[in-house]
Amino acid sequence: MPDRVFVDSNVFIYAKVKSQCTIKHAAAQSLLSSLDKQVVISVQVLNEFYSTLRRMRVEDAIIQNSLNQFIPSTQVQPLTRSTVELCWAMLNKYHFSYYDSLILASALESKCTRLYSEDMQHGQNIENQLMIVNPFVT
């Protein structure tokens, strides 16, 4: 099985919205275009992407078009009861926020080896399986 990587919503958001931060925009676009591994996201990533762009007053049609561009090249991991229970274990063990712990749980259930996110500790190894990588650290 090829390596699998999980990409958090913030990477997709920076890749889409240039006005937020041009350095992060370029870094996110570069990362997404360079990934040659199986990319995994979760339903939570889709929801956060949509919600954040709506708060930025991006039109629904533009958001939906963006989602339709990147969803086909990813595996969307569902959120299940077991995901939530693993989230609780991650929350208690690593003390991340609930939503970050839910991302960790989804990545672990998907057997990912890397999690690209700016929200957690860069370089931290989770459960001897998953390395957190902040793509915006230079």
Side-chain angles (χ1 to χ4, degrees):
M1 177 192 281
D3 281 350
R4 299 159 59 87
V5 298
F6 195 99
V7 179
D8 199 352
S9 56
N10 50 50
V11 176
F12 290 106
I13 292 164
Y14 282 120
K16 177 65 182 167
V17 183
K18 188 174 184 178
S19 64
Q20 285 300 102
C21 178
T22 56
I23 294 171
K24 288 184 178 182
H25 174 73
Q29 285 193 323
S30 177
L31 171 67
L32 292 175
S33 66
S34 71
L35 290 176
D36 61 351
K37 301 178 183 328
Q38 172 68 55
V39 175
V40 179
I41 61 174
S42 65
V43 172
Q44 176 186 351
V45 168
L46 300 175
N47 291 338
E48 288 177 359
F49 180 87
Y50 206 107
S51 175
T52 300
L53 267 60
R54 282 301 294 146
R55 281 194 309 271
M56 299 169 87
R57 302 186 190 272
V58 176
E59 294 178 24
D60 286 323
I62 293 171
I63 299 169
Q64 292 165 16
N65 184 51
S66 296
L67 289 170
N68 283 326
Q69 288 175 4
F70 72 76
I71 288 173
S73 63
T74 65
Q75 175 189 324
V76 179
Q77 178 75 9
L79 297 177
T80 64
R81 179 181 176 161
S82 66
T83 311
V84 172
E85 290 171 350
L86 182 55
C87 163
W88 297 338
M90 295 299 97
L91 180 110
N92 291 329
K93 184 172 183 177
Y94 295 100
H95 307 289
F96 286 115
S97 73
Y98 176 82
Y99 290 108
D100 288 345
S101 297
L102 195 56
I103 290 290
L104 288 176
S106 292
L108 288 168
E109 282 188 336
S110 301
K111 308 273 190 266
C112 291
T113 57
R114 289 186 180 264
L115 164 60
Y116 291 100
S117 177
E118 75 170 343
D119 292 338
M120 295 171 251
Q121 184 178 339
H122 177 69
Q124 185 173 5
N125 189 301
I126 305 295
E127 303 298 296
N128 294 317
Q129 173 188 328
L130 182 69
M131 178 68 64
I132 298 172
V133 178
N134 183 339
F136 309 114
V137 170
T138 55

